[in-house]
Amino acid sequence: MSKKILIIGRSGSGKSASLRNFAKGEVGIISVQGKELPFQSDLPTFAPRMNEKTFNKYPDVMAAIRKADAKVLVVDDANYLMSDEFMNRSGERGYEKFTQLAQNFYQMLQVCDNLPVDVTVYIMMHYELDADGYEKPKTIGNLLDEKIVIEGLFTTVLKAACVNGEYVFITRTAGNGCIKAPIGMLEDAQI
């Protein structure tokens, strides 16, 4: 089983910009939205196309994850997998589409789980506040939040943030979010 790490953060918090610390050949980047990296780079990125038959990008993303030869993979802006599918199916009535949205995302995470043990996969997502003010990965529908709890599928969840003008990853929760790391893994509250 690979090592999965969830990185949450608002737009502009440094999630994608942190990739500048990788050298060419060290990382495989899957850019769900196909956007350019926010820095000059020769890092190769893969941008999935919208599959007209299923109205989602999951088949391409899962194929790219399976065939990647890098020991570090990044799925950048992974929540747009759900958002894009939702927008393309917005005319559909009923709850079945929400079940399919959740199932597709869950299956993508399972593909990551099935990679070799020496592979690390970073899933980058925006976050939102729930009704209680708790920070959680941004999703669509209740199935992933109530039945699965995305952050529960990860041992490590970091939050990208700008603190006093410095871009950091927060490694511990202040009691209002899902940030976590194994005991002893990250000694500093910010890295």
Side-chain angles (χ1 to χ4, degrees):
M1 176 183 279
S2 70
K3 190 180 313 168
K4 283 191 331 250
I5 298 172
L6 177 61
I7 298 178
I8 62 170
R10 299 217 183 268
S11 183
S13 64
K15 296 182 307 297
S16 301
S18 70
L19 300 176
R20 72 188 180 284
N21 297 306
F22 286 103
K24 188 174 182 179
E26 288 182 329
V27 64
I29 303 169
I30 299 169
S31 175
V32 171
Q33 286 300 91
K35 69 180 184 181
E36 295 177 16
L37 292 171
F39 54 90
Q40 290 290 346
S41 173
D42 60 353
L43 293 175
T45 60
F46 169 77
R49 66 186 178 351
M50 188 66 70
N51 184 318
E52 294 176 18
K53 188 173 184 180
T54 60
F55 300 107
N56 69 57
K57 299 175 181 179
Y58 287 101
D60 286 344
V61 168
M62 290 190 288
I65 290 168
R66 284 184 184 110
K67 73 177 183 180
D69 57 0
K71 295 297 181 188
V72 177
L73 297 176
V74 175
V75 181
D76 194 17
D77 285 337
N79 52 287
Y80 281 110
L81 288 165
M82 289 178 271
S83 299
D84 289 347
E85 184 178 6
F86 175 76
M87 292 306 294
N88 282 293
R89 296 177 67 179
S90 62
E92 293 179 28
R93 302 287 181 238
Y95 293 103
E96 184 178 328
K97 72 179 170 189
F98 293 104
T99 301
Q100 190 65 55
L101 287 167
Q103 184 178 39
N104 286 341
F105 196 82
Y106 184 72
Q107 286 175 345
M108 186 269 301
L109 293 177
Q110 287 183 317
V111 168
C112 295
D113 282 340
N114 290 324
L115 294 174
V117 70
D118 62 340
V119 174
T120 300
V121 182
Y122 293 94
I123 304 292
M124 296 190 182
M125 297 180 74
H126 294 122
Y127 74 90
E128 62 188 353
L129 300 178
D130 69 11
D132 298 321
Y134 185 83
E135 297 171 343
K136 64 172 208 60
K138 188 176 185 85
T139 62
I140 293 179
N142 293 326
L143 190 57
L144 287 172
D145 295 335
E146 295 175 1
K147 305 298 186 253
I148 300 298
V149 185
I150 290 176
E151 61 270 26
L153 300 174
F154 294 83
T155 303
T156 305
V157 179
L158 305 176
K159 178 182 172 185
C162 185
V163 178
N164 300 322
E166 184 180 356
Y167 290 93
V168 299
F169 290 115
I170 298 171
T171 65
R172 295 187 189 112
T173 183
N176 66 333
C178 60
I179 303 162
K180 60 185 178 177
I183 295 171
M185 180 182 179
L186 300 169
E187 296 301 323
D188 296 328
Q190 297 178 8
I191 55 174

